[in-house]
Amino acid sequence: MKNTTTVPNGQDAIAQLVADHQKVTGMFKAFEKLRSDADKAELAEEICKELTVHMQLEEEIFYPAVQAALHDHELVPEANVEHGSVKDLIAQLEGARAGGDEYDAKVHVMGELIEHHVKEEETEMFPKAKKAGLDLVALGARMAERRQELMAAA
């Protein structure tokens, strides 16, 4: 189930983030269908890795640009709080043994948090970022470069 993330050259920041959203949403749906604890553990680990990289890209590159362009005091702080909740669940899953209702519930709740987070980003933050005239291609290039560094380190 291991896979690597590649980002086409020139893909803007929002396109990259939406692609990430679609990827992890699919991974959460696949997790719900798994029965084997070993398969669940492997997929949960991959979900956590993808989310960790995605959140770091947003926090280091995308959110600061959005916050500066929009003079935002609501969307970005809320998104960061949501990231904190996801990071807490990731920490609880690390080293935990797959199997049992609590493990599955943590992954399920993480999926629900991500679903909510994605909806807010895609319906509120991203349209405002586009309207603000951010250089999304330049941000995308920075994010693609950083993603490669993070994935190599993971």
Side-chain angles (χ1 to χ4, degrees), residues 1-134:
M1 271 193 201
K2 296 287 182 201
N3 51 40
T4 57
T5 302
T6 57
V7 179
N9 289 337
Q11 192 176 42
D12 78 36
I14 290 175
Q16 288 179 44
L17 297 174
V18 168
D20 287 353
H21 292 168
Q22 292 169 344
K23 182 177 185 177
V24 296
T25 298
M27 294 169 88
F28 279 113
K29 287 178 183 172
F31 182 91
E32 297 293 333
K33 295 176 183 171
L34 293 176
R35 297 292 163 242
S36 158
D37 289 345
D39 289 344
K40 286 181 178 184
E42 185 177 345
L43 185 53
E45 182 180 332
E46 190 67 22
I47 288 169
C48 292
K49 181 175 118 181
E50 291 289 335
L51 288 174
T52 298
V53 168
H54 176 86
M55 290 185 294
Q56 193 163 345
L57 291 171
E58 286 182 329
E59 291 168 8
E60 289 180 6
I61 300 168
F62 189 72
Y63 289 171
V66 168
Q67 194 159 27
L70 300 178
H71 307 291
D72 174 67
H73 300 288
E74 184 181 337
L75 291 173
V76 171
E78 185 176 327
N80 281 322
V81 170
E82 291 168 353
H83 280 190
S85 297
V86 172
K87 289 175 184 177
D88 287 345
L89 286 168
I90 288 172
Q92 291 175 39
L93 288 171
E94 286 177 354
R97 198 174 60 77
D101 295 339
E102 192 167 315
Y103 185 90
D104 290 358
K106 287 176 183 176
V107 175
H108 181 78
V109 168
M110 188 177 358
E112 289 177 340
L113 286 169
I114 293 300
E115 184 179 332
H116 169 80
H117 181 74
V118 163
K119 182 180 177 191
E120 285 189 343
E121 282 186 344
E122 292 184 2
T123 63
E124 295 178 46
M125 185 184 291
F126 293 174
K128 288 180 180 181
K130 286 179 183 177
K131 193 180 264 189
L134 283 170

